[in-house]
Amino acid sequence: METNGVRMTSEQARAALAETERTRASAAALSATPWPNWFALTLTLYIGALPITYGGVMSSSDWLLPRPAWMGVMLAITAAYGVCFAVAARAWREKTGVALRFDVLPKTVTVPLVIGLPALLVGAAFAFRATGRPVWLIAASLIGVAVSVGCHLAFVRLHRRAA
């Protein structure tokens, strides 16, 4: 292997390969870094509002608001979240040059999160519909907020370790 007309020794080649691997690992960690704080807050608020909104949409009768109003709230917060997500992803890509990727996140965290969080948020609405007790919605909302904050802090720690 030659670099600028100079032949590399085997030790230099190993060092270059090790540096390349560290660079790849660093890029992977950067792509898994936490969202900006404003988006982490937005995501946490969205997750906290979802169980209550789902409960209103799925209630057997009008609960606090008429069902069409709950549907409007659901559409509005989902659209706002989608816009914020797009802005945060674009800002991160411009800031770091690395697109956010979910495939580099630790599978031991993301797989249970991808399965458990939707089950919690939607399951609470079904439990509310069956029992009529809003405690299910409040508990799911609080657990969802705790999970969101916990994941954000874990990704902050992951990023700091990699940087």
Side-chain angles (χ1 to χ4, degrees):
M1 175 181 247
E2 292 188 20
T3 307
N4 295 334
V6 178
R7 189 168 182 92
M8 294 178 74
T9 65
S10 60
E11 291 82 21
Q12 289 171 325
R14 282 190 201 101
L17 286 173
E19 182 61 31
T20 301
E21 186 54 38
R22 278 192 296 275
T23 302
R24 274 194 198 132
S26 177
L30 280 175
S31 64
T33 55
W35 299 103
N37 287 334
W38 67 265
F39 185 74
L41 177 64
T42 301
L43 178 61
T44 301
L45 291 173
Y46 179 70
I47 288 172
L50 275 177
I52 295 166
T53 307
Y54 280 147
V57 169
M58 292 184 59
S59 66
S60 55
S61 62
D62 287 346
W63 175 69
L64 300 178
L65 295 173
R67 187 171 290 145
W70 282 116
M71 205 51 143
V73 169
M74 176 71 77
L75 291 172
I77 65 172
T78 302
Y81 169 75
V83 168
C84 289
F85 182 90
V87 169
R90 186 176 58 239
W92 181 252
R93 192 176 330 103
E94 289 172 1
K95 179 180 175 185
T96 65
V98 179
L100 289 165
R101 294 176 36 207
F102 295 107
D103 63 325
V104 296
L105 297 174
K107 302 289 186 263
T108 56
V109 175
T110 56
V111 170
L113 187 64
V114 167
I115 294 169
L117 195 57
L120 171 74
L121 299 178
V122 176
F126 282 109
F128 171 66
R129 182 179 174 107
T131 65
R133 299 185 60 203
V135 69
W136 294 103
L137 305 175
I138 295 166
S141 181
L142 293 174
I143 292 168
V145 165
V147 167
S148 177
V149 170
C151 286
H152 180 68
L153 294 176
F155 294 142
V156 166
R157 195 169 351 117
L158 173 71
H159 175 63
R160 285 189 183 141
R161 248 187 300 156

